[in-house]
Amino acid sequence: MRFLLTDEQREFGRSLDALLTAANTPAVLRAWAAGDHGPGRALWGRLADAGVFALAVPEAYGGVGPLPVEAAVACVELGRHAVPGPVAETLAAGVLLAGAGGPVAEEWLPGIASGAAVVSLTLEGYGPYAPDADAADAVFTVTGDELRLAPGPGEPSASADPARRLFRPEPGGAPVAKGPAIRAAARAAGDTAAFATAALALGCGEELLRATVAYVKQRTQFGVPVGSFQAVKHRLADTLLGLEFARPLLYGAAVELASEVSRPGAGAGAGSAEGSPGTGAGSAEGSSGAGAAVAAAKVAAGEAGYAAARTALQLHGAIGYTEELDLAWWLRRARPLRDVWGTPSACRARVLAG
């Protein structure tokens, strides 16, 4: 199985890194947490212009996907720069609506691909909260075999990450699609959300490690950099190993998801609304085969990212938890990314179940 990225995929990642470096994401994060979504939506539009959200939208609706490997490359960079907004949820909504087909897909998928629509969602089995629902243009909920458009974002709940606010969507809303295809599409959307979150967690952990290595080279005790101490080196080495072991699991899951999409019959339209473009419905039906690979990637990347946060907090000392330090935004993001869209225990159980 090949895990090496192509030259084009690596260049895609580098271009996103350059875009996000120039965007000053810490300032965007602070504005987003304060309720000012303008800078974040502007950044969202630039990412859409780069093709990020089109990766989960079929060509029939104006996208280029589904392309799981490229989506992993993109989400690692977005996690590295802590881009605010419901990134995983919007990508998952692309898969959900493509599987549902019909008028709801025709209405929302082109906007997701172009960046005009920011979407959040809730799925059965993953908790009641829709992240950043107040900033979303639509909040979809799935109950059984019914897909509904929530009438409002609902009331906010406390969140460990102030730039990732949690909402319980208002109940009700007329069904926009129903039937067995919704259950299959919801399963595929859950896998996509978990997969994208794993990539975000890996990127978050990589940035935490990078910043910590740079800091221990500068901070001195007893006249020498603290990074020269053996205990510090061991802690950083363990953190690096965790991240590097998670990386092949992430790209292995991407390969599994891509093979589901490309298998015979995928995208033939099974389960889509009659008369609607069927691209993506086959992947919704078949995504359960990649579920264990996604769960393995999620638990490995989530745990590695959280371990990187604990290492960063300890080695930065007393300044590590202060909000004045930009790193605090990454520290507060690592644990929610570990737990959302599949807790470690739930992911391990899914891996064991095969």
Side-chain angles (χ1 to χ4, degrees):
M1 186 174 292
R2 178 182 174 86
F3 294 112
L4 293 177
L5 299 176
T6 65
D7 291 340
E8 291 79 6
Q9 290 163 344
R10 287 194 291 269
E11 181 57 33
F12 179 50
R14 286 192 292 266
S15 68
L16 291 177
D17 178 51
L19 184 158
L20 293 168
T21 299
N24 188 16
T25 52
V28 176
L29 274 168
R30 294 178 190 277
W32 190 276
D36 179 7
H37 301 133
R41 289 296 295 255
L43 177 58
W44 193 279
R46 293 197 292 275
L47 290 170
D49 291 340
V52 170
F53 303 108
L55 296 171
V57 176
E59 292 183 14
Y61 298 100
V64 297
L67 295 174
V69 177
E70 286 76 6
V73 171
C75 286
V76 168
E77 292 302 328
L78 269 60
R80 193 194 317 277
H81 291 272
V83 171
V87 172
E89 291 74 22
T90 296
L91 293 172
V95 173
L96 174 65
L97 297 178
V104 66
E106 295 171 0
E107 179 181 359
W108 288 100
L109 285 177
I112 290 175
S114 69
V118 176
V119 177
S120 192
L121 80 164
T122 64
L123 300 173
E124 283 187 315
Y126 291 100
Y129 299 110
D132 297 308
D134 60 330
D137 299 294
V139 179
F140 291 98
T141 64
V142 175
T143 305
D145 61 358
E146 288 189 341
L147 172 64
R148 295 175 180 266
L149 181 61
E155 293 298 318
S157 299
S159 173
D161 180 0
R164 192 176 185 277
R165 303 179 69 195
L166 302 176
F167 292 80
R168 287 180 177 264
E170 293 180 6
V176 293
K178 61 175 63 177
I182 300 304
R183 291 183 183 272
R187 287 195 298 271
D191 284 345
T192 299
F195 172 71
T197 303
L200 292 169
L202 179 61
C204 179
E206 288 179 346
E207 175 58 21
L208 286 163
L209 178 61
R210 184 207 63 78
T212 305
V213 169
Y215 180 73
V216 299
K217 289 179 178 179
Q218 299 173 357
R219 181 184 172 192
T220 60
Q221 282 186 345
F222 310 113
V224 297
V226 297
S228 65
F229 300 156
Q230 189 175 50
V232 172
K233 291 180 179 180
H234 286 178
R235 184 68 181 266
L236 291 170
D238 288 342
T239 301
L240 176 62
L241 283 174
L243 294 169
E244 289 303 319
F245 272 101
R247 191 186 314 281
L249 289 174
L250 175 67
Y251 286 110
V255 171
E256 290 288 342
L257 289 170
S259 67
E260 294 284 1
V261 172
S262 62
R263 68 181 174 83
S272 293
E274 184 177 354
S276 66
T279 304
S283 63
E285 291 286 356
S287 66
S288 59
V294 170
K298 176 62 168 59
V299 67
E303 293 281 35
Y306 183 51
R310 292 174 63 88
T311 297
L313 180 61
Q314 179 175 4
L315 297 185
H316 274 81
I319 69 166
Y321 61 86
T322 59
E323 289 193 2
E324 291 76 12
L325 186 71
D326 288 342
L327 191 74
W329 296 94
W330 280 258
L331 289 170
R332 300 182 71 168
R333 177 155 294 201
R335 184 164 183 171
L337 288 176
R338 184 195 69 171
D339 295 337
V340 72
W341 295 113
T343 63
S345 60
C347 289
R348 289 189 178 96
R350 192 173 185 186
V351 171
L352 291 174

